[in-house]
Amino acid sequence: MTGTFAVDTPSVETETGLPQLAWLEARTRELLAEAQRRGADQAEVSLSASRALSVTARARQRESVEHEGDRGASLTVYCGQRSGSASTTDLTADGLRAALDQALTIARFTEADTFAGLADAELMAGEQPDLSLYHPWSLDAEQALEMALQLEAAALDYDARIAQTEGATVASRDGVSVYGNSHGFVGGERASRHALSCQPLARADAGMQREVAFSQARHADELQAVEAVGRLAAERAVARLGARTPPTTTASVLFTPRVARGLWGHLVAAISGGALYRNASFLKDKLEQSIAVEALTLSQHPHRPRGLASAAFDGDGVATAERTLVDQGVLRGYVLSAYTARRLGLTSTGNAGGVFNLDVAPGTDDFDALVAGMGRGLVVTELMGQGVNLVNGDYSRGAAGFWVENGKIAYPVENATIAGNLDEMYQGIDALGSDVDFGAALRTPSVLIGSMTIAGQ
């Protein structure tokens, strides 16, 4: 590399010890300029650093304390229609020189790809809103341990049948990242994420059951109370004691919010560019067609303050925007990056890296009303396995939860399998609940599907 970097040692924030955003931005610009001096027609660079603390208590004592620090750089160069990518954890001048050398060497030997290249310049994000994502938590290991012990104690003290836990964890992460490309775009963000989790084990003569509860937020003040998380985890574990295998039948299935997210994850995957251009999606060529009941509306909200998946720009530097993906059952848009859009002859939707804060519009019935309305069937609280085929929509997953008879929960369930087809399941939604789970980037209520195959005894 013929160029030099103005500053090799980063200036750091006193509060977190992370490199300052301005330093990463300057390093990004220097690296982009050097890539073009070395003959790249285009280039893009991502630099990031993070630090994390995670403390776990188990059996009412400290089990582990983990301090983690991570720094990384990834860069891609485009020489005509050939591209090369490299990454490194060394953010010094020498480390970045070596990574750029590797990327340029790789580009000389790769096959040309007519779809490769940066997103169009006019799509780059302009003024970036303050999304309030960065709220460092002044928490040291001893304070985190005290909270973890309280969290576990809340679970253990809930019921004598909570014999032990597989750990109660308090975790905090702060990060800073910058993306830039040779269009002149350089964008950065600082972000924090904090979490509480507990996984208790309940024991009785009929056996043992494990459950979990967690809370996560950008700001520590928005986490649920430590005691509430522990109690909820224990309550869930105790409720599953005495679980039975349900009958094999066809009946209603109610997905609670924490498992309903998977239903929408499959939908997003099926309308994402990678699956579409590979002809590997049952929703290919369904744009502006009905793919679900009219009650279903899914919308993206990337600029939500403190949102767990908020971002001003996507992984290509393209501006993110509010979008309605499904409007009253009609598919209104795909989820595309610059590359996958070109493969499809379309324009990027600003979704390189996925969706940003997806909301499912709620219905009017609360959880108890949904259970009463389903008559007979299965309430699903846990899913196992990966039996989903996006090519044809076939769906088969292991499940646990609660059996419903005459509109009332009769007994807990394990060792069940639920099966159907996603196309038919989306069209077969009987109701969406009002019980939205706001503690995740994908906010969804419970989802009642009128008929699925349930395999058990």
Side-chain angles (χ1 to χ4, degrees), residues 264 267 296-300 323-327 358-361:
W264 314 128
L267 192 156
L296 181 63
T297 294
L298 283 80
S299 54
Q300 174 184 265
R323 301 183 61 208
T324 298
L325 300 178
V326 179
D327 182 14
L358 189 66
D359 287 6
V360 180

Side-chain angles (χ1 to χ4, degrees), residues 53-182:
L53 169 67
S54 178
V55 178
T56 298
R58 188 172 182 178
R60 299 186 188 270
Q61 61 185 355
R62 181 180 63 197
E63 180 177 65
S64 65
V65 176
E66 297 180 12
H67 291 275
E68 178 186 337
D70 183 47
R71 297 186 180 189
S74 62
L75 59 151
T76 299
V77 296
Y78 301 94
C79 301
Q81 294 177 337
R82 300 173 184 272
S83 65
S85 298
S87 60
T88 181
T89 59
D90 184 357
L91 299 190
T92 66
D94 287 342
L96 294 177
R97 288 188 187 102
L100 179 55
D101 288 342
Q102 291 173 353
L104 289 166
T105 299
I106 292 169
R108 289 200 295 269
F109 295 99
T110 56
E111 293 290 330
D113 185 345
T114 59
F115 304 105
L118 302 179
D120 295 341
E122 61 269 21
L123 298 177
M124 295 295 103
E127 184 177 349
Q128 298 168 30
D130 179 9
L131 302 177
S132 188
L133 305 182
Y134 189 56
H135 301 279
W137 193 2
S138 57
L139 185 74
D140 61 27
E142 288 303 315
Q143 292 170 322
L145 174 60
E146 182 179 351
M147 292 181 66
L149 290 169
Q150 293 172 355
L151 177 57
E152 188 192 39
L156 292 171
D157 296 342
Y158 173 79
D159 191 291
R161 290 168 291 182
I162 302 294
Q164 64 186 82
T165 75
E166 292 193 348
T169 300
V170 176
S172 178
R173 176 180 293 272
D174 302 314
V176 57
S177 62
V178 171
Y179 168 85
N181 60 44
S182 50

Side-chain angles (χ1 to χ4, degrees), residues 3 6 25 34 43 88 161 173 198 230 234 238 247 271 275 291 313 324 385 388 390 422 424:
E25 291 173 341
E34 187 61 28
T88 181
R161 290 168 291 182
R173 176 180 293 272
C198 185
V238 169
I271 61 173
I291 64 166
F313 54 89
T324 298
V388 181
L390 290 182
L422 288 171
E424 297 172 355

